[in-house]
Amino acid sequence: MEEFLMYKIVIDGTPVLFSDFLSEDDCASVIAEATGAARVVFIGTPCTPLLVKTIEELVFRDNYVVVRDNNDILSPRDKREREIKTCSEYVRKLTSSGTIVRSRETCLGCASLVREGEFKIEQTVVVTQLEVRTLLATMKALGVVYDGLDEDDAILEATRRERAGKSFTELLVQHLLVELPLFDWQNPERYESTKAALFAQFVATVHDLTYLS
């Protein structure tokens, strides 16, 4: 549990948990952190069997669960893509009417699936991935924004071949990520905890600039 807590930040009073749902431990950590919340919002987390298992447990515990994601697959080509499509359909049925799960073909940027400040509500916990694009969507959902955030998110969601140029956010975050240690598959904690801390620094910078402007 302590290992997971390194990947938690607070955005303007709301806890944000980072998880890729790669193991049963990820599920258990998120459930333990989110159980006491009135509302659990998943942003940009692909619908996988482990995510479904987590959501099922939260719903069973009477948490109000909302999912906003753009990783559905319209025309699955392999086993994993078929799995995501099946899980996406199930998540829509399992969660609240506020859930929106779309594909990147129909919704390039996850930030476009949330309104500014939509989930800045007391007793809310947000769960997302430790990625810049999902961080931007989470920031918007919690009311920490800047001009051009949606456009930056769409650029970051696009494949490298499709990108016309680098966004302000990408340039800024790349500058911050220079401080990251090399990723070690056998010991990823140092890299990921440092990345989460840099994300918190980025959010604080945007927050301060917003209030100063």
Side-chain angles (χ1 to χ4, degrees):
M1 186 64 61
E2 292 178 358
E3 180 178 303
F4 178 79
L5 291 179
M6 290 190 295
Y7 317 135
K8 170 184 174 181
I9 66 174
V10 176
I11 296 181
D12 210 15
T14 300
V16 176
L17 313 178
F18 294 110
S19 179
D20 289 327
F21 294 96
L22 298 176
S23 70
E24 296 284 344
D25 287 343
D26 291 336
C27 297
S29 297
V30 170
I31 290 167
E33 278 287 309
T35 296
R39 179 181 290 95
V40 184
V41 182
F42 292 84
I43 297 178
T45 50
C47 295
T48 62
L50 284 175
L51 180 72
V52 166
K53 180 177 180 179
T54 304
I55 292 174
E56 283 180 327
E57 181 62 26
L58 290 170
V59 170
F60 176 76
R61 298 185 184 202
D62 289 329
N63 291 97
Y64 183 83
V65 178
V66 181
V67 179
R68 298 292 172 86
D69 178 58
N70 67 331
N71 287 291
D72 192 8
I73 307 293
L74 291 179
S75 302
R77 296 167 296 181
D78 54 38
K79 180 180 178 181
R80 173 167 172 74
E81 290 187 352
R82 287 192 294 272
E83 187 176 71
I84 290 176
K85 183 173 181 62
T86 299
C87 289
S88 296
E89 292 171 352
Y90 180 53
V91 163
R92 291 188 187 97
K93 297 175 182 177
L94 181 65
T95 57
S96 73
S97 59
T99 284
I100 303 174
V101 180
R102 294 182 179 166
S103 68
R104 295 196 183 187
E105 290 90 342
T106 60
C107 173
L108 182 57
C110 193
S112 66
L113 297 179
V114 297
R115 299 189 305 276
E116 182 179 336
E118 181 176 0
F119 295 113
K120 185 174 171 53
I121 308 169
E122 289 186 4
Q123 292 295 305
T124 295
V125 168
V126 175
V127 184
T128 189
Q129 291 186 305
L130 193 58
E131 301 292 342
V132 177
R133 56 187 177 78
T134 52
L135 175 69
L136 292 181
T138 300
M139 288 168 58
K140 181 181 177 183
L142 298 177
V144 180
V145 299
Y146 60 88
D147 290 341
L149 183 148
D150 282 354
E151 291 79 5
D152 282 356
D153 181 61
I155 290 173
L156 291 166
E157 290 270 16
T159 64
R160 292 188 180 277
R161 182 176 298 178
E162 293 170 334
R163 294 181 188 177
K166 291 187 176 181
S167 67
F168 162 76
T169 303
E170 187 174 11
L171 292 171
L172 178 57
V173 172
Q174 280 184 348
H175 175 71
L176 288 174
L177 296 187
V178 169
E179 301 179 30
L180 279 176
L182 292 175
F183 186 83
D184 181 354
W185 283 104
Q186 295 182 330
N187 183 29
E189 291 83 4
R190 181 165 172 257
Y191 174 91
E192 293 180 345
S193 61
T194 303
K195 190 175 183 180
L198 289 171
F199 278 13
Q201 180 183 340
F202 173 71
V203 172
T205 300
V206 173
H207 183 274
D208 291 346
L209 288 174
T210 300
Y211 277 86
L212 288 173
S213 60

